[in-house]
């Protein structure tokens, strides 16, 4: 998950403010620390978008997970036999990001028979402390290798701290029998 923007309305509703720091960076900070952050006497260590974004600070593992400055997003495809598979996906955010508040999530499924998109919103999963997990879906697929990819450009959450965190597009594959 990667922090790319803030939603000031959501942040303020949950006791945070979006401020511009002395170096030009933008940050989400507790409202009580907003003036100190703007003056430079309080320096937030997370929830900061630099004036010049750094490159290469996100990694993708081999297990359908992608990690970034907001936390981790993941996807799993598990073969069940009979040309079926279970699709699971979700996110785990870093403590400073806050809890998922508004979730928009899309997973592209490709197999020898074609492709489709599985779409989710916050009501189609469960939220826990700093996490969101979509309800499992059983998919009918074509035998052979299938790929599941979280669509990075349309999968994101707005957290209750006002962070807008986009998925880093984790992907996984599974042999469907």
């Amino acid at each position: 998950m990667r922090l790319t923007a803030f939603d000031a309305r959501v942040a303020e509703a949950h006791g945070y403010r979006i401020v511009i720091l002395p170096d030009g960076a933008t940050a989400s900070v507790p409202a009580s620390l907003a003036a100190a952050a703007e003056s430079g006497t309080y320096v937030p260590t997370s929830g900061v978008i630099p004036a010049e974004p750094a490159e290469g600070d996100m990694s993708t593992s081999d297990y359908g997970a992608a990690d970034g400055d907001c936390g981790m997003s993941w996807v799993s495809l598990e073969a069940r036999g009979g040309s079926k598979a279970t699709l699971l996906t979700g996110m785990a955010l870093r403590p400073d990001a806050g809890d998922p508040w508004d979730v928009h999530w899309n997973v592209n499924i490709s197999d020898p028979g074609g492709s489709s998109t599985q779409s989710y919103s916050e009501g189609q999963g469960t939220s826990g402390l700093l996490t969101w997990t979509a309800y499992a879906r059983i998919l009918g697929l074509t035998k052979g290798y299938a790929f599941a990819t979280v669509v990075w450009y349309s999968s994101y959450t707005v957290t209750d701290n006002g962070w807008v965190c986009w998925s880093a597009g984790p992907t996984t594959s599974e042999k469907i029998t």
Side-chain angles (χ1 to χ4, degrees):
M1 303 287 300
R2 184 173 184 112
L3 175 62
T4 60
F6 297 105
D7 186 316
R9 184 177 45 83
V10 173
E12 288 179 19
H14 293 93
Y16 285 78
R17 292 242 335 258
I18 308 306
V19 299
I20 303 297
L21 304 176
D23 66 358
T26 306
S28 172
V29 299
S32 62
L33 296 172
E38 289 173 324
S39 71
T41 57
Y42 167 71
V43 180
T45 58
S46 65
V48 178
I49 300 174
E52 294 291 326
E55 292 186 32
D57 59 355
M58 196 171 3
S59 65
T60 302
S61 75
D62 293 333
Y63 300 103
D67 191 33
D69 50 8
C70 280
M72 183 212 25
S73 58
W74 56 272
V75 64
S76 171
L77 194 60
E78 300 170 4
R80 300 173 54 99
S83 296
K84 295 194 181 305
T86 302
L87 173 65
L88 298 164
T89 186
M91 70 183 82
L93 300 174
R94 298 186 191 285
D96 291 345
D99 293 322
W101 181 74
D102 186 18
V103 178
H104 303 273
W105 211 252
N106 295 291
V107 178
N108 184 48
I109 306 294
S110 297
D111 68 9
S115 65
S116 66
T117 300
Q118 299 291 314
S119 298
Y120 303 85
S121 63
E122 68 274 3
Q124 296 175 314
T126 59
S127 288
L129 182 63
L130 304 173
T131 65
W132 176 82
T133 303
Y135 290 121
R137 292 187 180 174
I138 307 299
L139 306 176
L141 299 173
T142 303
K143 290 182 180 183
Y145 278 94
F147 300 87
T149 303
V150 177
V151 184
W152 65 268
Y153 56 84
S154 63
S155 300
Y156 66 95
T157 185
V158 178
T159 71
D160 59 6
N161 290 0
W163 294 26
V164 179
C165 297
W166 291 82
S167 171
T171 190
T172 192
S173 64
E174 180 78 358
K175 185 173 183 180
I176 306 303
T177 57

